[in-house]
Amino acid sequence: MQRGLKGIVAAETAISFIDGNAGVLVYRGHPAAKVAVQHSFEEVAYLLWHGALPGAAELSALQAEMRQARQVPDFIYTLIETLPQGLDMMNQMAAAATALCPGQEKPTLAQAVQLTAAMPVIAAAVYRKEQGLPAIRPHAALGHAANYLYTLTGEVPQEAHARALEAYMILTMEHGLNASTFTARVIASTESDMASAVSGAIGALKGPLHGGAPTEVITMLEEIGTVERTEGWLRARLENGERLMGFGHRVYKTKDPRAVALRQVTEQVGQDDHWLRLAAHVEQTAIRLLEEYKPGRGLYTNVEFYAAAVMRSIGLPASMFTPTFAVSRTVGWTAHVLEQAGDNTIFRPEARYTGVIYS
Ligand code: ACO
């Protein structure tokens, strides 16, 4: 038995390929780090859903479809307003996604586009409700990533900020059979519907070992505070047997290519020198100490470490880190649901019984 199904092939996919030892991530044949720099969110979403980058006409059709789907019905805003105070934001997003796209029919590409376009609008409305602020309707002239920032703040974002966020969102769109994508495929395999698969995936992503790390990375950076305090703080955690958030990955045993690309984007945006300097120093020190305390485990910076740095530099609140991850990953989840539904066998692994048997 392999705990956590580590190393077990549980599905075939043509959507993405990861070589964790070489630090390679490929979306439908294209290096993710390259498409993140050269293409828009909409283009890369099209790539993951269709298998090829769009031509001009296809892109403009997708942009129009997404613009339309961003105009979510009023009842979604009302639903979010009436959900109980204290309910986790991710659970609120799951509820809204399920309400937006109900039905038991076989998952469709139109639903994938609808959920992807609506998810940032939903996340922003949930965030603003938590802040006691009214929701902001999307801006007709802005693209996916810029609209997300606009519906969060009510201000048209700086180009550099929208671009940094877009790169992050592209780099976290898809990542093979991670826990939330696996959850989505398992749900799809029962011939359940698209929104159920996506809301289940949101529940899986909510856990701190999967999508919850950036918030904890920021807490870690804030607690460390200065370059001088870095080594002592990290050493104390490791001496205590604790894990350093933003380091280690189930798949990558070398540098996570998404972390490398995001570090470049962070340097380009370069808003907050203190945080960027501190993050770079913490990264270097942590990798050295992880090799000292956990030799041979191949523990390096993961995407969440630099995601935290990017989001801090564009001023996204820490509470929005995991919801933003869900906003991006909706593309990957929906692509996998479509692939699963297209050639389906229900998932039904076995468990080894370790209890007693009474006669
Ligand atoms: N800090 C300290 N030690 C670590 C860390 C870490 N961040 N990550 C792994 N280790 C150690 C473990 O304690 C273990 O040590 P042992 O051999 O002495 O028992 C060894 O490395 C292997 O650990 P596993 O949990 O088996 O490694 P796995 O590859 O399954 O873990 C995981 C991956 C869960 C991401 C882990 O590295 C971790 O907990 N990291 C911190 C949380 C985090 O950053 N999560 C975000 C992941 S990225 C994402 O979800 C998109």
Side-chain angles (χ1 to χ4, degrees), residues 210 243-250 253 294 297 302:
H210 188 5
R243 291 187 178 213
L244 305 180
M245 289 295 148
F247 294 89
H249 197 276
R250 176 60 65 86
K253 300 305 172 196
K294 299 281 173 185
R297 288 359 175 260
N302 64 43

Side-chain angles (χ1 to χ4, degrees), residues 6 172 175 178 205 207-214 217 238 241-253 256 258 290 293-294 297 299-300 302-305 325 329:
K6 202 168 180 168
T172 49
H175 206 239
N178 56 85
L205 188 66
L209 289 188
H210 188 5
V217 172
L238 291 167
E242 289 175 38
R243 291 187 178 213
L244 305 180
M245 289 295 148
F247 294 89
H249 197 276
R250 176 60 65 86
V251 176
Y252 293 111
K253 300 305 172 196
D256 179 341
R258 302 166 303 169
L290 285 167
Y293 283 83
K294 299 281 173 185
R297 288 359 175 260
L299 298 170
Y300 293 97
N302 64 43
V303 67
E304 296 314 315
F305 185 82
F325 194 172
R329 190 52 66 83

Side-chain angles (χ1 to χ4, degrees), residues 11-17 174 176 185 336 339:
E12 288 195 325
T13 184
I15 300 168
S16 67
F17 167 72
E174 158 62 12
R185 284 191 83 123
H336 277 270
E339 191 178 59

Side-chain angles (χ1 to χ4, degrees), residues 161-186:
H161 287 176
R163 190 58 204 121
L165 178 64
E166 185 164 45
Y168 165 75
M169 291 171 80
I170 293 171
L171 287 162
T172 49
M173 253 182 201
E174 158 62 12
H175 206 239
L177 216 53
N178 56 85
S180 60
T181 303
F182 186 46
T183 303
R185 284 191 83 123
V186 170

Side-chain angles (χ1 to χ4, degrees), residues 220-278:
M220 177 177 82
L221 292 175
E222 282 172 352
E223 283 186 19
I224 292 174
T226 64
V227 162
E228 295 71 38
R229 280 171 46 85
T230 303
E231 180 151 353
W233 193 96
L234 295 173
R235 217 175 256 289
R237 288 299 178 290
L238 291 167
E239 288 285 346
N240 219 15
E242 289 175 38
R243 291 187 178 213
L244 305 180
M245 289 295 148
F247 294 89
H249 197 276
R250 176 60 65 86
V251 176
Y252 293 111
K253 300 305 172 196
T254 180
K255 286 192 174 157
D256 179 341
R258 302 166 303 169
V260 176
L262 276 175
R263 181 180 188 163
Q264 286 165 7
V265 173
T266 311
E267 282 164 359
Q268 282 165 14
V269 176
Q271 292 286 310
D272 191 336
D273 286 337
H274 168 72
W275 288 107
L276 297 182
R277 261 202 321 273
L278 182 64

Side-chain angles (χ1 to χ4, degrees), residues 16-285:
S16 67
F17 167 72
I18 305 162
D19 182 340
N21 293 321
V24 168
L25 169 64
V26 165
Y27 288 171
R28 299 274 193 189
H30 300 265
K34 194 169 159 197
V35 292
V37 173
Q38 296 181 350
H39 296 281
S40 67
F41 181 95
E42 288 86 338
E43 286 173 293
V44 185
Y46 187 99
L47 170 69
L48 290 180
W49 288 323
H50 293 268
L53 283 160
E58 293 153 335
L59 177 60
S60 117
L62 176 63
Q63 286 166 333
E65 193 180 349
M66 289 181 73
R67 197 162 35 245
Q68 175 75 31
R70 244 174 245 130
Q71 305 296 332
V72 302
D74 286 345
F75 75 82
I76 293 293
Y77 291 106
T78 310
L79 170 74
I80 291 169
E81 276 302 319
T82 49
L83 284 170
Q85 285 297 331
L87 183 62
D88 187 277
M89 287 201 282
M90 294 285 276
N91 295 113
Q92 296 190 49
M93 288 167 66
T98 314
L100 179 69
C101 198
Q104 283 303 321
E105 74 267 33
K106 197 169 170 177
T108 64
L109 181 60
Q111 292 170 337
V113 175
Q114 184 190 16
L115 280 166
T116 300
M119 203 61 88
V121 180
I122 290 171
V126 168
Y127 170 72
R128 290 186 64 87
K129 169 225 173 156
E130 293 291 309
Q131 304 299 308
L133 297 168
I136 291 168
R137 307 277 165 154
H139 193 304
L142 297 176
H144 192 73
N147 239 313
Y148 182 36
L149 284 175
Y150 176 76
T151 50
L152 279 167
T153 64
E155 287 165 23
V156 174
Q158 290 175 31
E159 175 65 26
H161 287 176
R163 190 58 204 121
L165 178 64
E166 185 164 45
Y168 165 75
M169 291 171 80
I170 293 171
L171 287 162
T172 49
M173 253 182 201
E174 158 62 12
H175 206 239
L177 216 53
N178 56 85
S180 60
T181 303
F182 186 46
T183 303
R185 284 191 83 123
V186 170
I187 293 173
S189 84
T190 69
E191 295 191 359
S192 185
D193 58 288
M194 178 68 93
S196 297
V198 167
S199 67
I202 292 173
L205 188 66
K206 186 182 152 193
L209 289 188
H210 188 5
T215 314
E216 302 190 42
V217 172
I218 277 294
T219 308
M220 177 177 82
L221 292 175
E222 282 172 352
E223 283 186 19
I224 292 174
T226 64
V227 162
E228 295 71 38
R229 280 171 46 85
T230 303
E231 180 151 353
W233 193 96
L234 295 173
R235 217 175 256 289
R237 288 299 178 290
L238 291 167
E239 288 285 346
N240 219 15
E242 289 175 38
R243 291 187 178 213
L244 305 180
M245 289 295 148
F247 294 89
H249 197 276
R250 176 60 65 86
V251 176
Y252 293 111
K253 300 305 172 196
T254 180
K255 286 192 174 157
D256 179 341
R258 302 166 303 169
V260 176
L262 276 175
R263 181 180 188 163
Q264 286 165 7
V265 173
T266 311
E267 282 164 359
Q268 282 165 14
V269 176
Q271 292 286 310
D272 191 336
D273 286 337
H274 168 72
W275 288 107
L276 297 182
R277 261 202 321 273
L278 182 64
H281 184 75
V282 170
E283 179 189 30
Q284 258 179 5
T285 314

